[in-house]
């Protein structure tokens, strides 16, 4: 999906919601557990119930990988169920030396390899240029690079600081910007730090930012928009637990839709407030 | 495997060789490609031919993951074929927020989950403490944390420097050291920079270091030992392409053994030279 197509979808759906598919057998409704592939059945129902309210889906690969080959099969089926008008993000946080990162890119971007053809993958920057470039070599695909994350340990290294005050996450954005463009690079920026977005936008005014941390992780949507939104919206705000685990009963998909609708309506307000729709 | 068991194996086998299993269908002998699971067949033959000469095996997960579910099945079978007296390293370079890293730990450390029960996994430090600790919560398991890697882009961020000259990879070692011990933490340190080991040993005198980059990537074994060896050896030196792709013919396993033997003999000399055997 191109940047312009993503922007068009955001304006048409009046939403910049990304639904996280961190599908956990311990948390999904019990009546699904007897099915052949409960993970896929759950995801399919969630996708069907929410796809007109969101513009992106983000399965976190750990939740599939922990079941080995069968988990990868659930992931492949889930990928097949994603609608074409939703941006797909493999939340894998991969990163290795060049020829190995190429294999990871193949796994997620080449349908003939593992049956997956995601629009994008999340990537860890620690190993530098040759760990990220192989993902950018796929035309039409995106690397979503970890910059300033929302987890407890994010400050341990991401805030490491040069003598002039520049922090590692800023250095990451500045260097990674030279390896691609705002048409094939996004950054992960946690929503738990509204003012952090000012520092990010100073280095990446045009890029889309993938924002986890709204909802269960405690971030405020209006604050994210205040500091992080740009003229194209420039945000994909993820919510996972608040939506997909809204109910553990037979009404799980219906309740997921209700929660997604609440977020979509807040997003519609923000898009109008910022003159985007 | 405990640190003492690893040291005992090194002394008994007179080797600190780790064989990388980055098994690539484009590079393995053609006569294997007709088999049901060529990756496993190749690995099994390599393991059988080299297991008395090495103390560790390291499959790089990207080479399995790129084939999706069937690749994960090849990985599971390969894991089953690893001898108990060899330290097993899942070279996965994973790293995510806490509850997600727990899932990755489960994938590689809990046999009931994905059929894998590796001794250790390589981990990327960018996301900080909660991305690494879940791996340390498994008794008897190890996290092998990326510190100073050997690839082209390693300097991009790993050398990012504080005002006092401290570099990111040193900060990584100092902080990560506080989350575990030399009984459950190792560091990845590239062999292409002999003198880099002095900086590493100043921060991690007792830890084992996993050293890629000897052989095809150009590092010198004697230089690695000169700067990096400690009283317990403290090194696992990896070689992949020089061993597993020594021949593309029917003699591939035999030739792999010959190459592993050359390295084992050099290692035996180094162990003697440093008074370890």
């Amino acid at each position: 999906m191109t940047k312009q197509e993503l922007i068009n979808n955001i304006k048409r759906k009046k939403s910049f919601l990304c639904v996280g598919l961190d599908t956990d057998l311990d948390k999904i409704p019990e009546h699904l557990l007897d099915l052949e592939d409960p993970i896929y059945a759950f995801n399919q129902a969630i996708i069907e119930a929410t796809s007109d309210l969101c513009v992106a889906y983000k399965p976190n690969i750990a939740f599939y990988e922990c079941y080995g080959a069968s988990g990868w099969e659930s992931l492949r089926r889930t990928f097949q169920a994603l609608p074409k008008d939703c941006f797909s993000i493999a939340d894998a946080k991969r990163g290795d030396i060049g020829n190995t990162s190429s294999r990871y890119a193949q796994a997620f971007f080449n349908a003939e390899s593992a049956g997956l053809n995601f629009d994008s993958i999340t990537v860890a920057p620690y190993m530098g240029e040759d760990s990220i470039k192989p993902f950018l070599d796929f035309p039409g695909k995106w690397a979503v690079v970890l910059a300033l994350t929302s987890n407890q340990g994010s400050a341990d290294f991401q805030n490491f600081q040069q003598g002039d005050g520049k922090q590692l996450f800023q250095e990451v954005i500045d260097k990674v910007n030279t390896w691609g463009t705002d048409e094939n690079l996004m950054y992960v920026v946690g929503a738990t730090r509204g003012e952090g977005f000012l520092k990010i936008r100073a280095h990446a005014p045009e890029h889309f930012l993938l924002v986890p941390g709204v909802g269960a992780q405690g971030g405020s949507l209006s604050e994210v928009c205040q500091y992080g939104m740009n003229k194209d919206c420039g945000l994909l705000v993820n919510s996972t637990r608040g939506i997909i685990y809204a109910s553990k009963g037979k009404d799980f998909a219906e309740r997921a839709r209700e929660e997604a609708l609440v977020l979509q309506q807040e997003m519609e307000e923000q898009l109008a407030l910022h003159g985007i729709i």
Side-chain angles (χ1 to χ4, degrees), chain A:
Chain A
M1 188 180 290
T2 67
K3 185 177 178 185
Q4 193 55 54
E5 286 166 344
L6 178 58
I7 296 168
N8 293 347
N9 287 336
I10 289 170
K11 290 181 178 174
R12 182 171 55 81
K13 292 180 160 182
K14 302 178 173 53
S15 169
F16 44 99
L17 176 62
C18 175
V19 174
L21 297 171
D22 302 8
T23 306
D24 184 337
L25 288 179
D26 296 337
K27 291 186 184 158
I28 68 175
E30 283 184 17
H31 73 278
L32 297 177
L33 297 177
D34 295 333
L35 299 175
E36 187 217 335
D37 187 345
I39 293 176
Y40 169 65
F42 178 83
N43 289 345
Q44 192 189 30
I46 294 283
I47 292 165
E48 206 176 299
T50 57
S51 68
D52 60 322
L53 302 173
C54 69
V55 294
Y57 287 100
K58 181 175 74 62
N60 188 307
I61 307 307
F63 288 81
Y64 302 83
E65 190 161 300
C66 68
Y67 301 107
S70 80
W72 272 77
E73 182 55 18
S74 301
L75 178 64
R76 192 191 61 76
R77 288 180 176 173
T78 299
F79 173 78
Q80 298 294 334
L82 295 178
K84 292 286 167 283
D85 70 347
C86 288
F87 188 75
S88 55
I89 305 167
D91 193 1
K93 303 186 176 71
R94 301 299 191 252
D96 207 307
I97 62 172
N99 69 325
T100 308
S101 267
S102 297
R103 292 292 164 154
Y104 281 128
Q106 189 185 328
F108 293 99
F109 287 167
N110 180 345
E112 288 172 16
S113 193
L116 303 175
N117 190 9
F118 279 91
D119 290 311
S120 67
I121 181 174
T122 57
V123 177
Y126 192 76
M127 295 185 78
E129 180 172 2
D130 58 312
S131 68
I132 292 176
K133 272 210 160 167
F135 298 99
L136 303 176
D137 289 342
F138 278 74
K141 302 296 186 184
W142 298 71
V144 185
V145 182
L146 299 179
L148 187 60
T149 60
S150 57
N151 62 309
Q152 199 188 332
S154 61
D156 286 330
F157 305 120
Q158 294 164 25
N159 291 354
F160 193 66
Q161 195 166 319
Q162 266 183 185
D164 63 1
K166 188 180 198 182
Q167 290 175 299
L168 177 62
F169 72 90
Q170 297 168 310
E171 176 76 354
V172 164
I173 294 175
D174 283 349
K175 275 218 169 124
V176 175
N177 275 344
T178 68
W179 306 332
T181 71
D182 60 338
E183 306 270 342
N184 65 359
L185 281 170
M186 298 186 184
Y187 294 100
V188 175
V189 181
T192 47
R193 354 180 135 208
E195 290 181 15
F197 281 89
L198 291 177
K199 290 186 180 177
I200 299 286
R201 282 300 184 203
H203 294 259
E206 305 289 340
H207 290 73
F208 262 85
L209 308 178
L210 173 63
V211 184
V214 164
Q217 290 177 53
S220 140
L221 183 67
S222 65
E223 207 177 296
V224 167
C225 293
Q226 182 185 343
Y227 296 109
M229 203 171 248
N230 66 18
K231 69 179 190 333
D232 296 324
C233 175
L235 299 171
L236 291 174
V237 171
N238 183 76
S239 175
T240 302
R241 287 168 274 179
I243 293 176
I244 71 173
Y245 300 132
S247 160
K248 220 185 158 169
K250 292 207 170 171
D251 63 345
F252 73 97
E254 204 177 309
R255 289 281 297 113
R257 180 176 177 78
E258 287 168 16
E259 294 298 328
L261 186 60
V262 169
L263 278 170
Q264 182 273 321
Q265 287 172 339
E266 283 179 40
M267 289 178 178
E268 186 171 342
E269 272 176 39
Q270 291 294 330
L271 287 168
L273 190 68
H274 289 78
I276 292 162
I277 55 170

mmCIF file with all atom_site columns, all heavy atoms in Angstrom, chain A residues 94-108 121 127 130-132 134-135:
data_model
loop_
_atom_site.group_PDB
_atom_site.id
_atom_site.type_symbol
_atom_site.label_atom_id
_atom_site.label_alt_id
_atom_site.label_comp_id
_atom_site.label_asym_id
_atom_site.label_entity_id
_atom_site.label_seq_id
_atom_site.pdbx_PDB_ins_code
_atom_site.Cartn_x
_atom_site.Cartn_y
_atom_site.Cartn_z
_atom_site.occupancy
_atom_site.B_iso_or_equiv
_atom_site.pdbx_formal_charge
_atom_site.auth_seq_id
_atom_site.auth_comp_id
_atom_site.auth_asym_id
_atom_site.auth_atom_id
_atom_site.pdbx_PDB_model_num
ATOM 1   N N   . ARG A 1 94  ? 12.126 -7.589  13.947 1.00 0.00 ? 94  ARG A N   1
ATOM 2   C CA  . ARG A 1 94  ? 13.305 -8.320  13.512 1.00 0.00 ? 94  ARG A CA  1
ATOM 3   C C   . ARG A 1 94  ? 14.483 -7.378  13.285 1.00 0.00 ? 94  ARG A C   1
ATOM 4   O O   . ARG A 1 94  ? 14.305 -6.158  13.182 1.00 0.00 ? 94  ARG A O   1
ATOM 5   C CB  . ARG A 1 94  ? 13.009 -9.099  12.221 1.00 0.00 ? 94  ARG A CB  1
ATOM 6   C CG  . ARG A 1 94  ? 11.870 -10.126 12.328 1.00 0.00 ? 94  ARG A CG  1
ATOM 7   C CD  . ARG A 1 94  ? 12.179 -11.195 13.368 1.00 0.00 ? 94  ARG A CD  1
ATOM 8   N NE  . ARG A 1 94  ? 11.259 -12.314 13.312 1.00 0.00 ? 94  ARG A NE  1
ATOM 9   C CZ  . ARG A 1 94  ? 10.313 -12.602 14.193 1.00 0.00 ? 94  ARG A CZ  1
ATOM 10  N NH1 . ARG A 1 94  ? 10.139 -11.832 15.255 1.00 0.00 ? 94  ARG A NH1 1
ATOM 11  N NH2 . ARG A 1 94  ? 9.541  -13.664 14.053 1.00 0.00 ? 94  ARG A NH2 1
ATOM 12  N N   . GLY A 1 95  ? 15.667 -7.941  13.140 1.00 0.00 ? 95  GLY A N   1
ATOM 13  C CA  . GLY A 1 95  ? 16.861 -7.168  12.858 1.00 0.00 ? 95  GLY A CA  1
ATOM 14  C C   . GLY A 1 95  ? 18.062 -8.080  12.951 1.00 0.00 ? 95  GLY A C   1
ATOM 15  O O   . GLY A 1 95  ? 18.307 -8.687  13.991 1.00 0.00 ? 95  GLY A O   1
ATOM 16  N N   . ASP A 1 96  ? 18.786 -8.222  11.830 1.00 0.00 ? 96  ASP A N   1
ATOM 17  C CA  . ASP A 1 96  ? 19.947 -9.103  11.812 1.00 0.00 ? 96  ASP A CA  1
ATOM 18  C C   . ASP A 1 96  ? 20.906 -8.554  10.762 1.00 0.00 ? 96  ASP A C   1
ATOM 19  O O   . ASP A 1 96  ? 20.635 -7.504  10.175 1.00 0.00 ? 96  ASP A O   1
ATOM 20  C CB  . ASP A 1 96  ? 19.479 -10.536 11.475 1.00 0.00 ? 96  ASP A CB  1
ATOM 21  C CG  . ASP A 1 96  ? 20.404 -11.597 12.049 1.00 0.00 ? 96  ASP A CG  1
ATOM 22  O OD1 . ASP A 1 96  ? 21.631 -11.523 11.805 1.00 0.00 ? 96  ASP A OD1 1
ATOM 23  O OD2 . ASP A 1 96  ? 19.913 -12.502 12.737 1.00 0.00 ? 96  ASP A OD2 1
ATOM 24  N N   . ILE A 1 97  ? 22.021 -9.218  10.505 1.00 0.00 ? 97  ILE A N   1
ATOM 25  C CA  . ILE A 1 97  ? 22.922 -8.721  9.469  1.00 0.00 ? 97  ILE A CA  1
ATOM 26  C C   . ILE A 1 97  ? 22.250 -8.881  8.102  1.00 0.00 ? 97  ILE A C   1
ATOM 27  O O   . ILE A 1 97  ? 21.275 -9.622  7.949  1.00 0.00 ? 97  ILE A O   1
ATOM 28  C CB  . ILE A 1 97  ? 24.283 -9.446  9.493  1.00 0.00 ? 97  ILE A CB  1
ATOM 29  C CG1 . ILE A 1 97  ? 24.148 -10.948 9.208  1.00 0.00 ? 97  ILE A CG1 1
ATOM 30  C CG2 . ILE A 1 97  ? 24.951 -9.238  10.837 1.00 0.00 ? 97  ILE A CG2 1
ATOM 31  C CD1 . ILE A 1 97  ? 25.488 -11.631 9.028  1.00 0.00 ? 97  ILE A CD1 1
ATOM 32  N N   . GLY A 1 98  ? 22.824 -8.182  7.121  1.00 0.00 ? 98  GLY A N   1
ATOM 33  C CA  . GLY A 1 98  ? 22.164 -8.017  5.833  1.00 0.00 ? 98  GLY A CA  1
ATOM 34  C C   . GLY A 1 98  ? 21.566 -9.268  5.198  1.00 0.00 ? 98  GLY A C   1
ATOM 35  O O   . GLY A 1 98  ? 20.360 -9.325  4.920  1.00 0.00 ? 98  GLY A O   1
ATOM 36  N N   . ASN A 1 99  ? 22.387 -10.320 4.964  1.00 0.00 ? 99  ASN A N   1
ATOM 37  C CA  . ASN A 1 99  ? 21.845 -11.477 4.234  1.00 0.00 ? 99  ASN A CA  1
ATOM 38  C C   . ASN A 1 99  ? 20.777 -12.192 5.062  1.00 0.00 ? 99  ASN A C   1
ATOM 39  O O   . ASN A 1 99  ? 19.892 -12.841 4.520  1.00 0.00 ? 99  ASN A O   1
ATOM 40  C CB  . ASN A 1 99  ? 22.956 -12.448 3.794  1.00 0.00 ? 99  ASN A CB  1
ATOM 41  C CG  . ASN A 1 99  ? 23.603 -13.168 4.961  1.00 0.00 ? 99  ASN A CG  1
ATOM 42  O OD1 . ASN A 1 99  ? 23.752 -12.600 6.047  1.00 0.00 ? 99  ASN A OD1 1
ATOM 43  N ND2 . ASN A 1 99  ? 23.988 -14.416 4.762  1.00 0.00 ? 99  ASN A ND2 1
ATOM 44  N N   . THR A 1 100 ? 20.842 -12.040 6.371  1.00 0.00 ? 100 THR A N   1
ATOM 45  C CA  . THR A 1 100 ? 19.842 -12.670 7.231  1.00 0.00 ? 100 THR A CA  1
ATOM 46  C C   . THR A 1 100 ? 18.572 -11.832 7.301  1.00 0.00 ? 100 THR A C   1
ATOM 47  O O   . THR A 1 100 ? 17.460 -12.372 7.264  1.00 0.00 ? 100 THR A O   1
ATOM 48  C CB  . THR A 1 100 ? 20.432 -12.888 8.636  1.00 0.00 ? 100 THR A CB  1
ATOM 49  O OG1 . THR A 1 100 ? 21.666 -13.578 8.497  1.00 0.00 ? 100 THR A OG1 1
ATOM 50  C CG2 . THR A 1 100 ? 19.504 -13.717 9.485  1.00 0.00 ? 100 THR A CG2 1
ATOM 51  N N   . SER A 1 101 ? 18.724 -10.505 7.383  1.00 0.00 ? 101 SER A N   1
ATOM 52  C CA  . SER A 1 101 ? 17.538 -9.655  7.337  1.00 0.00 ? 101 SER A CA  1
ATOM 53  C C   . SER A 1 101 ? 16.792 -9.861  6.020  1.00 0.00 ? 101 SER A C   1
ATOM 54  O O   . SER A 1 101 ? 15.564 -9.782  5.972  1.00 0.00 ? 101 SER A O   1
ATOM 55  C CB  . SER A 1 101 ? 17.912 -8.181  7.516  1.00 0.00 ? 101 SER A CB  1
ATOM 56  O OG  . SER A 1 101 ? 17.828 -7.811  8.882  1.00 0.00 ? 101 SER A OG  1
ATOM 57  N N   . SER A 1 102 ? 17.530 -10.150 4.934  1.00 0.00 ? 102 SER A N   1
ATOM 58  C CA  . SER A 1 102 ? 16.868 -10.459 3.656  1.00 0.00 ? 102 SER A CA  1
ATOM 59  C C   . SER A 1 102 ? 15.941 -11.644 3.788  1.00 0.00 ? 102 SER A C   1
ATOM 60  O O   . SER A 1 102 ? 14.874 -11.688 3.183  1.00 0.00 ? 102 SER A O   1
ATOM 61  C CB  . SER A 1 102 ? 17.904 -10.787 2.574  1.00 0.00 ? 102 SER A CB  1
ATOM 62  O OG  . SER A 1 102 ? 18.720 -9.683  2.339  1.00 0.00 ? 102 SER A OG  1
ATOM 63  N N   . ARG A 1 103 ? 16.366 -12.632 4.581  1.00 0.00 ? 103 ARG A N   1
ATOM 64  C CA  . ARG A 1 103 ? 15.510 -13.801 4.803  1.00 0.00 ? 103 ARG A CA  1
ATOM 65  C C   . ARG A 1 103 ? 14.259 -13.435 5.584  1.00 0.00 ? 103 ARG A C   1
ATOM 66  O O   . ARG A 1 103 ? 13.178 -13.936 5.318  1.00 0.00 ? 103 ARG A O   1
ATOM 67  C CB  . ARG A 1 103 ? 16.281 -14.894 5.552  1.00 0.00 ? 103 ARG A CB  1
ATOM 68  C CG  . ARG A 1 103 ? 17.394 -15.497 4.728  1.00 0.00 ? 103 ARG A CG  1
ATOM 69  C CD  . ARG A 1 103 ? 16.779 -16.281 3.602  1.00 0.00 ? 103 ARG A CD  1
ATOM 70  N NE  . ARG A 1 103 ? 17.758 -16.571 2.574  1.00 0.00 ? 103 ARG A NE  1
ATOM 71  C CZ  . ARG A 1 103 ? 17.667 -17.621 1.763  1.00 0.00 ? 103 ARG A CZ  1
ATOM 72  N NH1 . ARG A 1 103 ? 16.645 -18.465 1.867  1.00 0.00 ? 103 ARG A NH1 1
ATOM 73  N NH2 . ARG A 1 103 ? 18.574 -17.805 0.839  1.00 0.00 ? 103 ARG A NH2 1
ATOM 74  N N   . TYR A 1 104 ? 14.419 -12.574 6.579  1.00 0.00 ? 104 TYR A N   1
ATOM 75  C CA  . TYR A 1 104 ? 13.245 -12.125 7.323  1.00 0.00 ? 104 TYR A CA  1
ATOM 76  C C   . TYR A 1 104 ? 12.299 -11.352 6.397  1.00 0.00 ? 104 TYR A C   1
ATOM 77  O O   . TYR A 1 104 ? 11.075 -11.500 6.467  1.00 0.00 ? 104 TYR A O   1
ATOM 78  C CB  . TYR A 1 104 ? 13.643 -11.269 8.529  1.00 0.00 ? 104 TYR A CB  1
ATOM 79  C CG  . TYR A 1 104 ? 14.130 -12.065 9.724  1.00 0.00 ? 104 TYR A CG  1
ATOM 80  C CD1 . TYR A 1 104 ? 15.339 -11.789 10.352 1.00 0.00 ? 104 TYR A CD1 1
ATOM 81  C CD2 . TYR A 1 104 ? 13.353 -13.104 10.243 1.00 0.00 ? 104 TYR A CD2 1
ATOM 82  C CE1 . TYR A 1 104 ? 15.775 -12.516 11.458 1.00 0.00 ? 104 TYR A CE1 1
ATOM 83  C CE2 . TYR A 1 104 ? 13.779 -13.834 11.349 1.00 0.00 ? 104 TYR A CE2 1
ATOM 84  C CZ  . TYR A 1 104 ? 14.992 -13.535 11.948 1.00 0.00 ? 104 TYR A CZ  1
ATOM 85  O OH  . TYR A 1 104 ? 15.411 -14.262 13.049 1.00 0.00 ? 104 TYR A OH  1
ATOM 86  N N   . ALA A 1 105 ? 12.886 -10.513 5.541  1.00 0.00 ? 105 ALA A N   1
ATOM 87  C CA  . ALA A 1 105 ? 12.050 -9.754  4.601  1.00 0.00 ? 105 ALA A CA  1
ATOM 88  C C   . ALA A 1 105 ? 11.291 -10.715 3.691  1.00 0.00 ? 105 ALA A C   1
ATOM 89  O O   . ALA A 1 105 ? 10.098 -10.546 3.435  1.00 0.00 ? 105 ALA A O   1
ATOM 90  C CB  . ALA A 1 105 ? 12.924 -8.806  3.787  1.00 0.00 ? 105 ALA A CB  1
ATOM 91  N N   . GLN A 1 106 ? 11.994 -11.742 3.244  1.00 0.00 ? 106 GLN A N   1
ATOM 92  C CA  . GLN A 1 106 ? 11.363 -12.763 2.396  1.00 0.00 ? 106 GLN A CA  1
ATOM 93  C C   . GLN A 1 106 ? 10.208 -13.438 3.140  1.00 0.00 ? 106 GLN A C   1
ATOM 94  O O   . GLN A 1 106 ? 9.134  -13.662 2.578  1.00 0.00 ? 106 GLN A O   1
ATOM 95  C CB  . GLN A 1 106 ? 12.450 -13.773 2.035  1.00 0.00 ? 106 GLN A CB  1
ATOM 96  C CG  . GLN A 1 106 ? 12.090 -14.787 0.997  1.00 0.00 ? 106 GLN A CG  1
ATOM 97  C CD  . GLN A 1 106 ? 13.228 -15.819 0.825  1.00 0.00 ? 106 GLN A CD  1
ATOM 98  O OE1 . GLN A 1 106 ? 14.414 -15.468 0.987  1.00 0.00 ? 106 GLN A OE1 1
ATOM 99  N NE2 . GLN A 1 106 ? 12.886 -17.051 0.514  1.00 0.00 ? 106 GLN A NE2 1
ATOM 100 N N   . ALA A 1 107 ? 10.418 -13.755 4.404  1.00 0.00 ? 107 ALA A N   1
ATOM 101 C CA  . ALA A 1 107 ? 9.384  -14.443 5.189  1.00 0.00 ? 107 ALA A CA  1
ATOM 102 C C   . ALA A 1 107 ? 8.085  -13.647 5.221  1.00 0.00 ? 107 ALA A C   1
ATOM 103 O O   . ALA A 1 107 ? 7.001  -14.216 5.084  1.00 0.00 ? 107 ALA A O   1
ATOM 104 C CB  . ALA A 1 107 ? 9.883  -14.682 6.617  1.00 0.00 ? 107 ALA A CB  1
ATOM 105 N N   . PHE A 1 108 ? 8.203  -12.337 5.378  1.00 0.00 ? 108 PHE A N   1
ATOM 106 C CA  . PHE A 1 108 ? 6.996  -11.525 5.593  1.00 0.00 ? 108 PHE A CA  1
ATOM 107 C C   . PHE A 1 108 ? 6.488  -10.813 4.343  1.00 0.00 ? 108 PHE A C   1
ATOM 108 O O   . PHE A 1 108 ? 5.333  -10.415 4.283  1.00 0.00 ? 108 PHE A O   1
ATOM 109 C CB  . PHE A 1 108 ? 7.235  -10.504 6.715  1.00 0.00 ? 108 PHE A CB  1
ATOM 110 C CG  . PHE A 1 108 ? 7.418  -11.162 8.056  1.00 0.00 ? 108 PHE A CG  1
ATOM 111 C CD1 . PHE A 1 108 ? 8.680  -11.382 8.588  1.00 0.00 ? 108 PHE A CD1 1
ATOM 112 C CD2 . PHE A 1 108 ? 6.303  -11.616 8.759  1.00 0.00 ? 108 PHE A CD2 1
ATOM 113 C CE1 . PHE A 1 108 ? 8.843  -12.021 9.816  1.00 0.00 ? 108 PHE A CE1 1
ATOM 114 C CE2 . PHE A 1 108 ? 6.452  -12.248 9.992  1.00 0.00 ? 108 PHE A CE2 1
ATOM 115 C CZ  . PHE A 1 108 ? 7.730  -12.459 10.512 1.00 0.00 ? 108 PHE A CZ  1
ATOM 116 N N   . ILE A 1 121 ? 6.678  -4.348  8.157  1.00 0.00 ? 121 ILE A N   1
ATOM 117 C CA  . ILE A 1 121 ? 7.182  -5.133  9.296  1.00 0.00 ? 121 ILE A CA  1
ATOM 118 C C   . ILE A 1 121 ? 7.830  -4.171  10.282 1.00 0.00 ? 121 ILE A C   1
ATOM 119 O O   . ILE A 1 121 ? 8.461  -3.183  9.864  1.00 0.00 ? 121 ILE A O   1
ATOM 120 C CB  . ILE A 1 121 ? 8.183  -6.208  8.821  1.00 0.00 ? 121 ILE A CB  1
ATOM 121 C CG1 . ILE A 1 121 ? 8.696  -7.049  10.001 1.00 0.00 ? 121 ILE A CG1 1
ATOM 122 C CG2 . ILE A 1 121 ? 9.339  -5.603  8.050  1.00 0.00 ? 121 ILE A CG2 1
ATOM 123 C CD1 . ILE A 1 121 ? 9.577  -8.213  9.574  1.00 0.00 ? 121 ILE A CD1 1
ATOM 124 N N   . MET A 1 127 ? 21.309 -3.068  15.043 1.00 0.00 ? 127 MET A N   1
ATOM 125 C CA  . MET A 1 127 ? 22.405 -3.542  14.192 1.00 0.00 ? 127 MET A CA  1
ATOM 126 C C   . MET A 1 127 ? 22.712 -2.637  12.997 1.00 0.00 ? 127 MET A C   1
ATOM 127 O O   . MET A 1 127 ? 23.625 -2.916  12.224 1.00 0.00 ? 127 MET A O   1
ATOM 128 C CB  . MET A 1 127 ? 22.161 -4.987  13.757 1.00 0.00 ? 127 MET A CB  1
ATOM 129 C CG  . MET A 1 127 ? 22.190 -5.948  14.954 1.00 0.00 ? 127 MET A CG  1
ATOM 130 S SD  . MET A 1 127 ? 22.040 -7.674  14.477 1.00 0.00 ? 127 MET A SD  1
ATOM 131 C CE  . MET A 1 127 ? 23.709 -8.038  13.896 1.00 0.00 ? 127 MET A CE  1
ATOM 132 N N   . ASP A 1 130 ? 22.588 -2.181  7.457  1.00 0.00 ? 130 ASP A N   1
ATOM 133 C CA  . ASP A 1 130 ? 22.348 -3.406  6.673  1.00 0.00 ? 130 ASP A CA  1
ATOM 134 C C   . ASP A 1 130 ? 21.285 -4.305  7.305  1.00 0.00 ? 130 ASP A C   1
ATOM 135 O O   . ASP A 1 130 ? 20.813 -5.249  6.675  1.00 0.00 ? 130 ASP A O   1
ATOM 136 C CB  . ASP A 1 130 ? 23.645 -4.182  6.402  1.00 0.00 ? 130 ASP A CB  1
ATOM 137 C CG  . ASP A 1 130 ? 24.385 -4.587  7.655  1.00 0.00 ? 130 ASP A CG  1
ATOM 138 O OD1 . ASP A 1 130 ? 24.571 -3.732  8.539  1.00 0.00 ? 130 ASP A OD1 1
ATOM 139 O OD2 . ASP A 1 130 ? 24.778 -5.761  7.769  1.00 0.00 ? 130 ASP A OD2 1
ATOM 140 N N   . SER A 1 131 ? 20.885 -3.985  8.527  1.00 0.00 ? 131 SER A N   1
ATOM 141 C CA  . SER A 1 131 ? 19.795 -4.765  9.131  1.00 0.00 ? 131 SER A CA  1
ATOM 142 C C   . SER A 1 131 ? 18.422 -4.228  8.706  1.00 0.00 ? 131 SER A C   1
ATOM 143 O O   . SER A 1 131 ? 17.417 -4.923  8.810  1.00 0.00 ? 131 SER A O   1
ATOM 144 C CB  . SER A 1 131 ? 19.914 -4.760  10.659 1.00 0.00 ? 131 SER A CB  1
ATOM 145 O OG  . SER A 1 131 ? 19.660 -3.482  11.196 1.00 0.00 ? 131 SER A OG  1
ATOM 146 N N   . ILE A 1 132 ? 18.380 -2.997  8.221  1.00 0.00 ? 132 ILE A N   1
ATOM 147 C CA  . ILE A 1 132 ? 17.101 -2.367  7.858  1.00 0.00 ? 132 ILE A CA  1
ATOM 148 C C   . ILE A 1 132 ? 16.900 -2.292  6.353  1.00 0.00 ? 132 ILE A C   1
ATOM 149 O O   . ILE A 1 132 ? 15.804 -2.495  5.840  1.00 0.00 ? 132 ILE A O   1
ATOM 150 C CB  . ILE A 1 132 ? 17.022 -0.967  8.513  1.00 0.00 ? 132 ILE A CB  1
ATOM 151 C CG1 . ILE A 1 132 ? 16.901 -1.142  10.040 1.00 0.00 ? 132 ILE A CG1 1
ATOM 152 C CG2 . ILE A 1 132 ? 15.848 -0.151  7.975  1.00 0.00 ? 132 ILE A CG2 1
ATOM 153 C CD1 . ILE A 1 132 ? 16.906 0.132   10.840 1.00 0.00 ? 132 ILE A CD1 1
ATOM 154 N N   . PRO A 1 134 ? 17.486 -4.273  3.799  1.00 0.00 ? 134 PRO A N   1
ATOM 155 C CA  . PRO A 1 134 ? 16.853 -5.364  3.027  1.00 0.00 ? 134 PRO A CA  1
ATOM 156 C C   . PRO A 1 134 ? 15.323 -5.278  2.998  1.00 0.00 ? 134 PRO A C   1
ATOM 157 O O   . PRO A 1 134 ? 14.704 -5.736  2.038  1.00 0.00 ? 134 PRO A O   1
ATOM 158 C CB  . PRO A 1 134 ? 17.310 -6.630  3.759  1.00 0.00 ? 134 PRO A CB  1
ATOM 159 C CG  . PRO A 1 134 ? 18.611 -6.244  4.376  1.00 0.00 ? 134 PRO A CG  1
ATOM 160 C CD  . PRO A 1 134 ? 18.433 -4.808  4.785  1.00 0.00 ? 134 PRO A CD  1
ATOM 161 N N   . PHE A 1 135 ? 14.728 -4.688  4.023  1.00 0.00 ? 135 PHE A N   1
ATOM 162 C CA  . PHE A 1 135 ? 13.269 -4.546  4.033  1.00 0.00 ? 135 PHE A CA  1
ATOM 163 C C   . PHE A 1 135 ? 12.825 -3.456  3.066  1.00 0.00 ? 135 PHE A C   1
ATOM 164 O O   . PHE A 1 135 ? 11.737 -3.511  2.499  1.00 0.00 ? 135 PHE A O   1
ATOM 165 C CB  . PHE A 1 135 ? 12.767 -4.240  5.449  1.00 0.00 ? 135 PHE A CB  1
ATOM 166 C CG  . PHE A 1 135 ? 13.070 -5.327  6.436  1.00 0.00 ? 135 PHE A CG  1
ATOM 167 C CD1 . PHE A 1 135 ? 14.151 -5.242  7.307  1.00 0.00 ? 135 PHE A CD1 1
ATOM 168 C CD2 . PHE A 1 135 ? 12.299 -6.480  6.479  1.00 0.00 ? 135 PHE A CD2 1
ATOM 169 C CE1 . PHE A 1 135 ? 14.447 -6.258  8.209  1.00 0.00 ? 135 PHE A CE1 1
ATOM 170 C CE2 . PHE A 1 135 ? 12.579 -7.499  7.373  1.00 0.00 ? 135 PHE A CE2 1
ATOM 171 C CZ  . PHE A 1 135 ? 13.654 -7.392  8.230  1.00 0.00 ? 135 PHE A CZ  1
#
